[in-house]
Amino acid sequence: MSPILAPAADPEFSFSAGDFERVRGLIRKHAGIHLHAGKQAMVYSRLSRRLRETGHRSFVEYLDWLESPQGIGVEKQEFINSLTTNLTAFFREEHHFDLLTEQLRNFKGSSLRIWCAAASTGEEPYSLAMTVAESLRAGVSAQIVASDIDSKVLATARRAVYATDSKGLSPERLRRHCQRGTGANDGRMRVKPDLARMIDFRQLNLVEGEWNLGEPFDIVFCRNVMIYFDAPTQRKVLERIHAVMKPHGHLFVGHSENFTDERHLFRLRGKTVYERV
Ligand SMILES: C[S@@+](CC[C@H](N)C(=O)[O-])C[C@H]1O[C@@H](n2cnc3c(N)ncnc32)[C@H](O)[C@@H]1O
């Protein structure tokens, strides 16, 4: 019998090293996410909620059900949602938005397409829409496709409601791009519908299935998601991103992501910004 890993002295559910390995295998298979060995406590706390909600009394029982033909259809998405990390903010890594502003001001085409490939709760795609509204010349049409694997964060993103004191959102942008809530909604804001209409939210798994994204993109933001994938998966995803971009388009990645080995696909053009070859 493998050792029990549950963090508390008297855990609610038994959680063995074998259970943890099963979870690791399943989240890798379904989302490409490579969970490090030190993530047992995180897995226990996030999946305990699912065990409670689905009425299972142990991890073994829950995982057996999850992997059964009946369980996989209803629980796979919840399992994935529970194990993704969704940390984000408006105008995160601001230098990217400074560069984007410059690129949009110099944009020569008549229609611009941007893909935000790990949109999480929406702060990133709305930051892109705000930058487009502020910098793109009148008469150019702009479309932003914003996707994520996690159905729950996408629902939050579509709602477009955030705290007025959200990190990264300046008072000036709050005034210009958002409607403040009143009464029961005091302290909250909604992104203006004109801006929200620019964005097409959809669920998409970066490591599996068809993408069906339409016309090629001028700009792709794929930030702080590839760090969860192993190197071969990162390479595959990068090849697929390359295939949906226009030549000389720009790919923006997270602060700790580095793809300088893939020079045949992307060339480094600035701090964590690449040009599609
Ligand atoms: C840490 S957040 C990054 C959000 C945003 N890009 C940023 O930098 O602020 C990572 C996001 O990637 C999503 N994600 C994880 N695996 C994914 C996959 N295989 N396909 C698509 N999205 C994935 C998660 O659901 C999560 O919302």
Side-chain angles (χ1 to χ4, degrees):
M1 166 109 181
S2 46
I4 301 299
L5 294 173
D10 183 17
E12 187 180 357
F13 304 107
S14 68
F15 181 45
S16 69
D19 297 334
F20 178 61
E21 284 312 314
R22 264 176 98 182
V23 171
R24 280 178 100 187
L26 284 165
I27 195 63
R28 192 184 194 126
K29 177 173 163 200
H30 295 304
I33 295 173
H34 174 69
L35 282 179
H36 293 286
K39 294 286 183 186
Q40 294 100 329
M42 182 270 251
V43 165
Y44 180 86
S45 99
R46 293 199 190 174
L47 287 183
S48 289
R49 265 177 256 149
R50 295 306 312 149
L51 267 69
R52 247 170 257 133
E53 221 153 280
T54 56
H56 288 97
R57 285 162 311 183
S58 71
F59 272 76
V60 171
E61 209 183 80
Y62 170 76
L63 292 170
D64 284 349
W65 172 67
L66 173 66
E67 290 199 272
S68 72
Q70 308 91 290
I72 200 75
V74 286
E75 184 61 11
K76 179 177 147 186
Q77 187 63 54
E78 294 292 345
F79 173 80
I80 293 172
N81 290 358
S82 301
L83 294 175
T84 55
T85 298
N86 309 115
L87 182 78
T88 188
F90 286 101
F91 293 92
R92 185 178 188 188
E93 294 169 54
E94 213 177 345
H95 67 101
H96 281 166
F97 292 91
D98 296 339
L99 183 66
L100 179 66
T101 298
E102 201 183 304
Q103 291 179 347
L104 296 182
R105 287 197 179 129
N106 296 321
F107 186 74
K108 299 284 185 285
S110 59
S111 67
L112 171 85
R113 277 175 53 78
I114 302 178
W115 179 25
C116 180
S120 190
T121 40
E123 288 87 338
E124 186 175 74
Y126 290 120
S127 303
L128 291 169
M130 290 177 196
T131 309
V132 166
E134 292 164 11
S135 317
L136 197 63
R137 114 186 102 80
V140 181
S141 75
Q143 197 193 17
I144 299 170
V145 175
S147 61
D148 202 285
I149 194 174
D150 183 331
S151 57
K152 205 164 170 190
V153 292
L154 280 173
T156 304
R158 285 194 182 100
R159 215 173 302 128
V161 174
Y162 302 92
T164 49
D165 61 356
S166 291
K167 188 174 169 209
L169 189 65
S170 68
E172 205 274 319
R173 285 195 167 114
L174 180 64
R175 259 193 311 277
R176 180 167 173 189
H177 299 298
C178 312
Q179 298 164 328
R180 274 175 178 277
T182 54
N185 289 318
D186 193 31
R188 280 189 276 197
M189 63 77 167
R190 184 190 293 276
V191 178
K192 284 187 179 167
D194 274 0
L195 212 65
R197 266 197 289 276
M198 212 187 285
I199 308 176
D200 171 11
F201 286 104
R202 51 171 94 170
Q203 195 174 10
L204 180 144
N205 186 346
L206 286 168
V207 304
E208 208 178 75
E210 290 297 308
W211 285 1
N212 296 323
L213 289 165
E215 293 298 303
F217 294 98
D218 301 279
I219 287 159
V220 174
F221 269 56
C222 186
R223 306 191 310 166
N224 306 304
V225 60
M226 295 278 237
I227 35 161
Y228 300 104
F229 303 158
D230 62 16
T233 308
Q234 288 183 353
R235 261 197 304 281
K236 255 186 252 160
V237 174
L238 217 53
E239 277 166 13
R240 293 188 76 185
I241 292 176
H242 179 269
V244 299
M245 287 181 73
K246 287 186 190 161
H248 310 297
H250 283 85
L251 170 67
F252 294 74
V253 305
H255 56 277
S256 53
E257 294 163 333
N258 182 331
F259 305 114
T260 43
D261 286 346
E262 310 298 324
R263 275 184 209 92
H264 60 295
L265 300 175
F266 292 98
R267 297 233 169 86
L268 191 64
R269 285 289 178 252
K271 195 171 150 202
T272 54
V273 181
Y274 293 82
E275 181 182 340
R276 183 213 189 266
V277 174

